[in-house]
Amino acid sequence: MRGLGMIVRAEDVPRPEHPRPDFYREDWLNLNGCWDFSFDDHELGEEEGWHLGKVEFDKRIVVPFPFQSRLSGIHDESFHDVVWYKRSFTIQEEWIGKRILLHFGAVDYESKVWLNGYYLGSNVGGYAPFKFDITRYLREGENLLVLRVLDRHGDQPRGKQDSRLHPMGVHYMRVTGIWQTVWLEAVGEAYINSVRFIPDIDNEIVEISASLAGESEGCNLKATIYFAGVEEAEAKGLVVDGEAHLRVSIPYMKLWSPETPDLYDVELVVSKDGEVLDRVWSYFGMRKISVKGNRILLNNEPYYLKMALDQGYYPDGLYTAPSDSDLRRDVEAAKRLGLNGVRKHQLAADPRYLYWCDKLGLLVWGEMGDWGMPLSMFERFWSEWRRIIVRDFNHPSIIVWVPFNERAEARRDKENQRALIEIYRRTKALDPTRLVIDTSGYAHTETDIVDIHQYRWLKGREWIERWSKPWMEGKIPDECLHSFAEGFKYEGQPIVISEWGGWSIEGFKPIVDRPLTSYHRVRDEFSFISLYRDIVKVLMNEPSICGFCYTQLYDVEGEVNGFLTYDRKWKIPPEEIAKINMGSQ
């Protein structure tokens, strides 16, 4: 790879693929690889001027893997609240005269960034991307990039990361620092900052809204839409006050669904006086998600959700998949099971994962890692959640937003209830095209879907007795009533059993040193298949239920309740589960 301050072969760069296939520029440079690294346990780095680059760091780390992971080359699972990163790079000659953007896919948790000793800015949040225009701070030859990260794993949204030294139960190893790709981009004086594609399948059009940065006065935006490489449509409009809006007709449109994941490619070009200033490639799917009565509709047709929980952890990389192929493999595993969706649970997914869901056809409930967040961090939480929604808006695979999970304190606490309602309403206002759940399980207030977590009932006949019979008698089952916060009631929304199962099979143990955790243990794969068949048949035949989500797709650390082990080996023949999910057994 050219342009780096160190000699790095392209095949040695971890996660070398472009991190945002939904927002791709040809002029980009991957900064993953070996960085200088140091712990700052006494928190003296800023005072001692580490950001100036004059202090030698005592370690090397492989970015983008967190230092707690094996693939980072450090694999230290003890507490280090403050860490520093450093590396040099040079700018390619053909980029001279352009604006240069520095991107961080995700860094957990509080970041400060310097370039050549100049302070670029900061970021708070472990899941959302951030970037800087570094043009004015660049110099000829080598440029020094330094990053300081603070991550106390205390009162902050951290998802399933365990704040204890030794993780156990449904909490896992901590993640600190860079865990998604770092990269550079070259753009013109005016460039696209963000874009939204809003498909309208009822009128066979797509609305395109782009926000521009830089000197955009007098610029034009041109959108060319392709299907399978063949041009389908084109539109052009003037940029006004940094915004451009286009409506494009899509005749004979192809609808996106898990069964037919057809995508449209889009070339977006910003120009002024005939000069191209920026060019971005993206894509979208003509897809609609809606509710009619107590049913969920996909493309105006009732659609039954068959999902599994996907925690987004990897044995060697933790939050970071070892390769893009590993992300694709997880999507393919869900489809092999006859599932049509996943809950990407307690973290915001790597955009490359969502790309494979778009390409291969898998529905996603997009979530935020909210566990660990006190109400005092409400606005900080919203700031990050908002950026995640903006980043992932164009993925047709995402059909539901889930900002919170199991906020049981909202059952009776009015302040917590107000927080759930406020985030629900803000999310709906920001993205009215998708369904929103206020909090998954336990304490619903205002919500588009009533999703229920039920791990206690282990037989199909229990579901019939405790769930189906009350509905037949004109009553609402206690499990539904108890899923609402005080002062709120069921109003006929679609119902999804969004967590159930969690069974382990005797003989399968954690592949990492953790206490074993599951919700029920069965003797062997045959008992598992029988029990799964017994319950799924009832769920799929029950008129009041329009979907389910099994816990879980694969084991994670001490949780051994997956269809696969933590290192992604099948415990159960996937085709047997697929037969059940497809209703053929």
Side-chain angles (χ1 to χ4, degrees), residues 516-532:
L516 185 148
T517 299
S518 70
Y519 298 103
H520 178 68
R521 186 162 50 177
V522 298
R523 184 171 60 253
D524 52 33
E525 67 181 73
F526 306 104
S527 298
F528 185 104
I529 292 169
S530 294
L531 188 56
Y532 188 86

Side-chain angles (χ1 to χ4, degrees), residues 179 310-314 318-321 330 344-345 347 554 556 568:
W179 68 274
D310 183 337
Q311 309 272 11
Y313 262 79
Y314 299 86
L318 301 179
Y319 268 10
T320 312
D330 284 353
K344 199 64 176 176
H345 193 41
L347 86 169
Y554 47 80
V556 182
R568 308 317 199 256

Side-chain angles (χ1 to χ4, degrees), residues 323-340:
S323 71
D324 191 48
S325 297
D326 290 284
L327 295 172
R328 175 173 180 166
R329 178 190 61 189
D330 284 353
V331 176
E332 291 173 335
K335 292 187 70 73
R336 284 189 66 186
L337 289 162
L339 302 171
N340 55 29

Side-chain angles (χ1 to χ4, degrees), residues 197-259:
F197 302 103
I198 303 177
D200 180 353
I201 70 168
D202 298 321
N203 294 296
E204 296 189 337
I205 62 171
V206 62
E207 296 183 10
I208 303 174
S209 295
S211 174
L212 278 73
E215 304 298 326
S216 63
E217 188 70 25
C219 289
N220 289 287
L221 176 70
K222 178 182 176 183
T224 307
I225 297 174
Y226 301 86
F227 182 79
V230 178
E231 184 174 331
E232 287 276 303
E234 182 181 286
K236 187 176 182 179
L238 188 66
V239 178
V240 179
D241 295 330
E243 302 284 334
H245 303 280
L246 307 174
R247 284 170 59 90
V248 189
S249 175
I250 309 293
Y252 309 105
M253 63 181 179
K254 292 81 177 174
L255 297 179
W256 186 97
S257 73
E259 293 73 29

Side-chain angles (χ1 to χ4, degrees), residues 71-347:
L71 289 175
S72 71
I74 295 178
H75 192 208
D76 186 334
E77 296 184 350
S78 56
F79 286 108
H80 299 283
D81 292 347
V82 179
V83 300
W84 289 75
Y85 295 79
K86 178 173 62 176
R87 71 154 298 159
S88 60
F89 64 87
T90 59
I91 295 299
Q92 304 173 85
E93 290 184 11
E94 54 266 36
W95 286 12
I96 294 175
K98 295 185 177 182
R99 288 180 183 262
I100 308 300
L101 306 179
L102 169 64
H103 292 266
F104 293 88
V107 182
D108 196 347
Y109 177 67
E110 297 184 27
S111 307
K112 290 184 176 181
V113 187
W114 293 264
L115 182 66
N116 297 325
Y118 294 98
Y119 180 59
L120 297 178
S122 63
N123 179 74
V124 176
Y127 302 101
F130 58 100
K131 68 177 183 290
F132 303 101
D133 183 339
I134 63 173
T135 311
R136 61 183 293 195
Y137 304 106
L138 290 168
R139 61 191 182 197
E140 291 185 14
E142 287 194 350
N143 291 268
L144 182 67
L145 175 63
V146 180
L147 176 74
R148 178 190 186 269
V149 180
L150 169 67
D151 187 20
R152 299 199 190 281
H153 292 98
D155 289 343
Q156 64 194 47
R158 62 177 186 269
K160 290 294 191 82
Q161 300 179 59
D162 204 326
S163 60
R164 298 166 294 188
L165 177 61
H166 301 293
M168 61 187 301
V170 299
H171 292 82
Y172 318 132
M173 178 46 62
R174 296 167 297 282
V175 169
T176 295
I178 299 171
W179 68 274
Q180 287 184 22
T181 292
V182 184
W183 76 103
L184 299 172
E185 281 182 325
V187 298
E189 280 304 305
Y191 61 94
I192 300 171
N193 195 46
S194 64
V195 64
R196 276 191 172 199
F197 302 103
I198 303 177
D200 180 353
I201 70 168
D202 298 321
N203 294 296
E204 296 189 337
I205 62 171
V206 62
E207 296 183 10
I208 303 174
S209 295
S211 174
L212 278 73
E215 304 298 326
S216 63
E217 188 70 25
C219 289
N220 289 287
L221 176 70
K222 178 182 176 183
T224 307
I225 297 174
Y226 301 86
F227 182 79
V230 178
E231 184 174 331
E232 287 276 303
E234 182 181 286
K236 187 176 182 179
L238 188 66
V239 178
V240 179
D241 295 330
E243 302 284 334
H245 303 280
L246 307 174
R247 284 170 59 90
V248 189
S249 175
I250 309 293
Y252 309 105
M253 63 181 179
K254 292 81 177 174
L255 297 179
W256 186 97
S257 73
E259 293 73 29
T260 58
D262 292 329
L263 296 170
Y264 289 86
D265 294 312
V266 187
E267 181 188 29
L268 299 167
V269 176
V270 177
S271 62
K272 183 176 182 179
D273 300 328
E275 179 187 359
V276 172
L277 301 180
D278 191 24
R279 189 188 308 271
V280 171
W281 284 92
S282 188
Y283 64 83
F284 65 88
M286 295 298 290
R287 188 271 295 131
K288 177 184 178 182
I289 189 73
S290 58
V291 164
K292 185 176 182 180
N294 68 343
R295 312 315 294 173
I296 295 173
L297 307 184
L298 179 65
N299 299 330
N300 295 326
E301 297 292 336
Y303 199 86
Y304 193 93
L305 301 178
K306 294 173 281 189
M307 306 185 294
L309 215 61
D310 183 337
Q311 309 272 11
Y313 262 79
Y314 299 86
D316 293 329
L318 301 179
Y319 268 10
T320 312
S323 71
D324 191 48
S325 297
D326 290 284
L327 295 172
R328 175 173 180 166
R329 178 190 61 189
D330 284 353
V331 176
E332 291 173 335
K335 292 187 70 73
R336 284 189 66 186
L337 289 162
L339 302 171
N340 55 29
V342 292
R343 278 185 67 194
K344 199 64 176 176
H345 193 41
Q346 273 300 295
L347 86 169

Side-chain angles (χ1 to χ4, degrees), residues 543-578:
S544 65
I545 295 173
C546 58
F548 65 79
C549 180
Y550 180 81
T551 303
Q552 57 187 327
L553 185 58
Y554 47 80
D555 298 348
V556 182
E557 299 194 357
E559 270 198 273
V560 289
N561 45 25
F563 293 112
L564 300 108
T565 62
Y566 194 17
D567 54 353
R568 308 317 199 256
K569 296 176 182 175
W570 289 106
K571 301 181 192 176
I572 304 155
E575 60 273 10
E576 295 302 316
I577 299 298

